Amino acid sequence: DSKLTVAKQVLSTNCMNSGQVKEIMQLFSFEESKLDWAKFAYGKTTDPGNYFKLNDAFQYETSITELDSYIQSRR
């Protein structure tokens, strides 16, 4: 939880590209934290067209589906 909190604090005043979002995402142990971070970071990502590259950082297909649904709802 503390890693996620710090990552969100950093991103609240900065932007990242998809690769950087993925690197941070891989620091989290829990799938729920990875998904939470990916959703949070989407709006502050400089290259949202490359967000599909995060998919292989998830362990479960349901997380990929949930992130995709989230992205579709934001468009």
Side-chain angles (χ1 to χ4, degrees), residues 3 7 10 16 19-28 37:
K3 287 181 190 177
V10 169
M16 296 182 175
Q20 292 169 315
V21 171
K22 183 177 179 179
E23 285 179 33
I24 292 173
M25 189 175 150
Q26 292 172 325
L27 298 174
F28 303 125
W37 166 249

Side-chain angles (χ1 to χ4, degrees), residues 22 25 31-32 34-36 38-39 42 50-73 75:
K22 183 177 179 179
M25 189 175 150
E31 189 82 357
E32 183 178 333
K34 292 179 182 184
L35 182 59
D36 187 15
K39 287 179 179 180
Y42 180 73
N50 289 324
Y51 227 62
F52 70 92
K53 294 179 180 180
L54 276 65
N55 290 352
D56 64 349
F58 289 111
Q59 293 176 318
Y60 304 108
E61 186 73 28
T62 55
S63 297
I64 297 168
T65 303
E66 188 172 335
L67 179 59
D68 187 53
S69 294
Y70 175 80
I71 290 169
Q72 295 304 320
S73 74
R75 289 186 179 168

